[in-house]
């Protein structure tokens, strides 16, 4: 089995690559299949990972057909398409968002279409492709009426992959990812960056600002759950999905208060005391439109794993990512 | 008021141009406004129309930024974006459909964005952007899960215009057109071409083949109603639409039997006898997925006009288009 990760240098791309390297196989509906090759593609060539199979790393523009043809060579069985310009960045730079999120996904379709056999494509769509806000608990067939350019471009990408699947050019599963916490490293340009920051920064002994109130609810998931969902989507029998290739995975609806409670459980009240509430209307305007909850009934039936409790999410960050984050930031 | 019609050489584009020429004004929420200039744009420069204002005609590729900049000059108040590759053609040629229907709409956004003030954009989306089939009677917030590439590209175009509207780059109204009957001229590459053909061909004294059974229901509208909707969308107060710029207009759900009954009412049983049932699984597979009815509640509240009865639709074709169709086809 030959696998490509687009966005392979990103936070989730690297975790996924390490997991594939550790497993050496992909569990599919037809049984375990040995991984023969992995390509990691990102804007700059990602650092390689140690693996029991060859790992290629490539740098390039995801919207460039030649770069994509190199990243998705003949024989590719699975493409994880995680390459994206995130929410606040796509809002700030409209052309960049269209280029990467829309034209990039179109280039993925064209590269897959050139293969002798249609590959599985696992696409990271987003909770940001929906509206509804704090009161929403969206059903599986909810309409996508995005309130930000990132979400609109993700919804367009889903339509493109949905139609390409119907045409037999590829075999897509689009996972509408919740806000992923706890992100290591530094704050990024996602409007939801604060959700990780209010946990990560105090764990580093640093202050953090929370732009929304304690009662504000978010649909979140852990990096561990996200990677489990990617692997499940890569190996599942897609006949079970029928024509509808969009999946709302079983994330968790959490208020800021609950997140801070989990922080206090793991790191004590002094960690929690490092979080100050500093309203930010620009951030609140974006994340305030995102639905706070989903039923996620279909995904559960399809075998997408449940999300672990919030304190375990925080503890996993401490165990797996805190030291590296500290080192990366020179703390 | 300066107006551009993209797809100005097509069936609906030409009817719309003639109507604007006859009216000389556009009714808007703020009162009547005199039309100062009209640009008709199509792949080949459309024939001019007689009008009390200057009419420019331009030929070019709708996905070409330079061509669009010429077609949508500074000062443009309203753009009717009717340029499209229709359903069966977009299904047969995937790249052509993406080029015109997706990249073309992106070029419209970029051309509008370059204007000093955001123009009104009236976009023809389609019933083909929905699924549901014969049993469906879709509510206004129905999800678009297209079953053909044309519909997928139209739904993507809607998302693009929805987001561009939110960003203040333009001010869009997307009308999901029913199957428009009776189209003059010759059969075209729309999967729904037969719906016009089973009325038009017998009125010309010619035989016609119907690929679906008499009980098969379609969501239809007349060219007259479509033009009324375009004009209403061009002049309405879009604040009433809020963020949701997609409109399911009040078409009519009609079975093949009802259409043939209207034909017999207007032209006698001998006209109806010219229609033979010849099942075509390829056509049935496409149109069989389209919803047969919509509630269209929101559009009615927003003042979109009701559709006239079917016999009036057939009679209007006889009065307005039959002689020209006869001449065009040398009959």
């Amino acid at each position: 089995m030959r696998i490509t990760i687009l966005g392979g240098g990103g936070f989730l791309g690297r975790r996924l690559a390490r997991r594939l390297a550790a497993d050496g196989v992909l569990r599919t509906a037809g049984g375990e299949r040995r991984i023969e090759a992995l390509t990691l593609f990102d804007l700059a060539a990602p650092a390689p990972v140690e693996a029991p199979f060859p790992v290629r790393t490539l740098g390039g523009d995801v919207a460039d057909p030649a770069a994509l043809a190199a990243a998705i060579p003949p024989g590719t069985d699975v493409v994880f398409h995680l390459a994206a310009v995130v929410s606040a960045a796509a809002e700030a730079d409209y052309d960049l968002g269209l280029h990467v999120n829309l034209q990039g996904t179109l280039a993925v379709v064209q590269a897959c279409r050139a293969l002798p056999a249609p590959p599985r494509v696992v696409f990271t769509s987003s909770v940001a492709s929906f509206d509804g806000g704090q009161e929403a608990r969206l059903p599986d067939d909810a309409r996508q009426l995005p309130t930000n350019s990132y979400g609109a471009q993700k919804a367009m990408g889903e339509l493109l992959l949905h139609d390409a699947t119907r045409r037999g050019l590829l075999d897509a599963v689009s996972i509408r990812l919740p806000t992923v916490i706890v992100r290591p490293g530094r704050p990024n340009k996602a409007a939801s960056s604060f959700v990780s920051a209010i946990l990560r920064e105090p764990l580093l002994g640093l202050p953090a600002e929370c732009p929304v109130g304690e009662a504000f609810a978010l649909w979140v998931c852990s990096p561990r759950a996200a990677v489990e969902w990617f692997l499940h989507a890569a190996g599942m029998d897609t006949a079970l999905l029928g024509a509808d290739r969009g999946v709302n995975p079983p994330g968790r609806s959490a208020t800021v208060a609950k997140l801070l409670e989990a922080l206090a459980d793991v790191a004590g009240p002094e960690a929690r005391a490092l979080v100050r509430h500093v309203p930010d209307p620009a951030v609140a305007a974006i994340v305030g439109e995102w639905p706070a909850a989903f039923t996620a009934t279909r995904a559960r039936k399809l075998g997408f794993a449940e999300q672990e409790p919030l304190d375990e999410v925080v503890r996993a960050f401490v165990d797996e990512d805190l030291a590296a984050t500290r080192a990366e930031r020179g703390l």
Side-chain angles (χ1 to χ4, degrees), chain A:
Chain A
M1 173 156 277
R2 294 171 179 277
I3 298 177
T4 293
I5 306 177
L6 305 173
F11 162 47
L12 291 175
R14 289 197 65 72
R15 284 188 84 102
L16 174 60
R18 288 201 303 265
R19 172 67 184 271
L20 293 171
D23 289 357
V25 295
L26 186 71
R27 264 168 290 280
T28 75
E32 274 190 4
R33 286 188 56 193
R34 200 168 58 80
I35 301 171
E36 292 153 277
L38 176 64
T39 299
L40 302 178
F41 177 91
D42 214 308
L43 200 52
V49 293
E50 282 280 332
F53 44 74
V55 178
R56 277 197 315 158
T57 64
L58 292 173
D61 176 359
V62 72
D64 169 15
L68 264 277
I72 303 174
T76 302
D77 301 287
V78 178
V79 176
F80 293 98
H81 176 23
L82 318 182
V85 167
V86 292
S87 51
E91 201 59 27
D93 189 338
Y94 183 54
D95 287 317
L96 179 66
L98 285 171
H99 182 77
V100 173
N101 297 339
L102 178 59
Q103 305 291 7
T105 302
L106 192 53
V108 172
V109 171
Q110 297 290 17
C112 291
R113 183 189 184 194
L115 299 183
R120 177 69 47 90
V121 175
V122 178
F123 176 55
T124 47
S125 184
S126 171
V127 59
S129 65
F130 293 97
D131 69 339
Q134 288 291 294
E135 301 310 313
R137 185 163 180 274
L138 294 188
D140 287 318
D141 65 347
R143 178 178 173 208
Q144 288 167 300
L145 200 68
T147 58
N148 58 92
S149 292
Y150 173 72
Q153 291 151 9
K154 285 293 186 186
M156 282 187 269
E158 283 194 44
L159 280 163
L160 203 53
L161 293 169
H162 161 81
D163 188 50
T165 297
R166 187 191 58 79
R167 293 186 78 103
L169 308 180
L170 48 83
D171 182 22
V173 183
S174 295
I175 298 179
R176 286 86 170 238
L177 276 188
T179 294
V180 181
I181 58 169
V182 181
R183 282 184 174 271
R186 296 170 194 279
N188 74 5
K189 285 189 174 167
S192 56
S193 181
F194 77 87
V195 194
S196 283
I198 61 172
L199 301 171
R200 181 189 60 236
E201 303 300 304
L203 290 169
L204 293 165
L206 300 172
E209 295 183 351
C210 185
V212 296
E214 295 232 338
F216 191 89
L218 290 134
W219 182 242
V220 299
C221 75
S222 68
R224 189 203 59 78
V227 168
E228 289 296 334
W229 298 335
F230 297 162
L231 294 174
H232 186 66
M236 74 182 291
D237 176 7
T238 50
L240 301 171
L241 289 167
D244 181 2
R245 296 313 181 93
V247 171
N248 300 329
R252 181 176 281 257
S253 189
T255 60
V256 166
K258 285 282 179 198
L259 293 170
L260 295 179
E261 201 176 287
L263 172 65
D265 284 351
V266 173
E270 61 282 12
R272 182 181 172 150
L274 287 166
V275 179
R276 269 199 319 148
H277 285 277
V278 182
D280 182 333
V283 168
I286 295 181
V287 299
E289 300 281 354
W290 301 354
F294 290 79
T295 61
T297 310
R298 184 167 176 255
R300 288 186 173 96
K301 277 191 198 145
L302 289 165
F304 285 87
E306 288 295 335
Q307 172 61 53
E308 66 269 34
L310 294 176
D311 59 334
E312 282 184 32
V313 175
V314 175
R315 214 161 270 128
F317 173 77
V318 172
D319 292 345
E320 298 166 25
D321 294 306
L322 189 59
T325 295
R326 218 184 270 284
E328 180 193 337
R329 293 174 59 177
L331 298 169

